[in-house]
């Protein structure tokens, strides 16, 4: 069978179409979906890439792959939203499990008169704002992990732990080279600053975990 080329360079069978089906929006398609052969009409998809089934001559619909991609995108968006919600929930739960257990109060140095909370965890000490105990004003304090102040919930105890600071940490004028237990009103010296340690959790009070109903 001889094919004819239209003015736009499309080849078509004149025995099936009186004019170019690609230019006019009509073409012949065999659909093998579901194991059956079916002859139907198709129309060029917007942009000229491929064809899609139509119910009437001249009408155009998006290819089925578009719907699949849309469903997939909506599914991913929903999952991302769900994951974000889980992250926020875990973050709030974590914060609720880190109550204040004590303080250190600066009695000497650039931050004199300021108090710093000690949370129920291993608290990092440094000048950087991401540190749990941020001592901005003292430039002799390392930016990150100069020392750590840890609360041991199991034994209701506090420990001062030297970390990566270039300067030695002192406790009651004695150098600290290993984790050392803290007592009420101990004096901690970090850089050019001195801090008085004041526990909130002690022999008279300790935070209790909430008991779930039915337990």
């Amino acid at each position: 069978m001889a094919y004819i080329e239209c003015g736009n360079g499309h080849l078509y069978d004149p025995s099936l179409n009186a004019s170019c089906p690609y230019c006019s929006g009509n073409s012949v398609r065999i659909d093998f979906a579901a194991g059956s052969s079916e002859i139907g009409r198709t129309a060029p998809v917007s942009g000229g890439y491929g064809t899609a089934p139509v119910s009437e001559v001249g009408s155009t619909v998006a290819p089925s792959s578009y719907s699949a991609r849309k469903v997939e995108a909506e599914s991913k968006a929903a999952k991302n939203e769900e994951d974000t919600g889980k992250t926020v929930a875990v973050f709030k739960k974590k914060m609720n499990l880190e109550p204040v257990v004590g303080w250190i109060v600066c009695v000497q140095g650039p931050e004199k008169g300021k108090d710093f909370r000690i949370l129920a965890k291993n608290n990092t000490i440094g000048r950087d704002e991401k540190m749990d105990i941020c001592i901005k004003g003292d430039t002799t304090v390392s930016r990150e992990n100069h020392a750590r102040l840890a609360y041991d919930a199991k034994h209701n105890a506090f420990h001062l732990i030297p970390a990566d600071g270039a300067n030695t940490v002192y406790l009651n004028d004695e150098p600290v080279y290993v984790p050392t237990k803290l007592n009420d009103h101990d004096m901690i010296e970090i850089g050019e600053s001195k801090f008085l340690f004041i526990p909130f959790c002690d022999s008279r009070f300790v935070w209790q975990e909430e008991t779930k109903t039915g337990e």
Side-chain angles (χ1 to χ4, degrees), residues 92-113:
K92 290 181 178 178
K93 181 179 180 181
K94 180 180 178 182
M95 291 301 293
N96 290 334
L97 292 177
E98 292 176 355
V100 172
V101 293
W103 303 268
I104 56 173
V105 180
C106 186
V107 295
Q108 180 179 315
E111 302 282 358
K112 184 177 180 179

Side-chain angles (χ1 to χ4, degrees), residues 26-77:
N26 298 317
S27 64
V28 175
R29 177 179 63 85
I30 299 178
D31 189 357
F32 294 97
S36 61
S37 298
E38 179 182 352
I39 297 179
R41 290 169 294 176
T42 64
V45 177
S46 177
Y49 298 102
T51 59
V54 298
S55 57
E56 296 181 1
V57 176
S59 63
T60 306
V61 298
S64 58
S65 59
Y66 170 79
S67 299
R69 288 196 301 271
K70 182 178 180 182
V71 171
E72 182 181 1
E74 291 175 348
S75 177
K76 287 182 178 179

Side-chain angles (χ1 to χ4, degrees), residues 158-162 171 175-182:
F158 298 82
H159 289 83
L160 179 62
I161 307 171
L171 177 62
V176 177
Y177 299 113
V178 296
T180 305
K181 187 175 181 179
L182 289 170

Side-chain angles (χ1 to χ4, degrees), residues 12-33:
Y12 67 94
D13 189 344
S15 65
L16 297 176
N17 297 280
S19 60
C20 177
Y22 304 105
C23 296
S24 64
N26 298 317
S27 64
V28 175
R29 177 179 63 85
I30 299 178
D31 189 357
F32 294 97

Side-chain angles (χ1 to χ4, degrees), residues 195-206:
F195 303 86
L196 192 66
F197 167 65
I198 303 174
F200 176 60
C201 292
D202 53 18
S203 59
R204 294 164 293 182
F205 176 82
V206 63

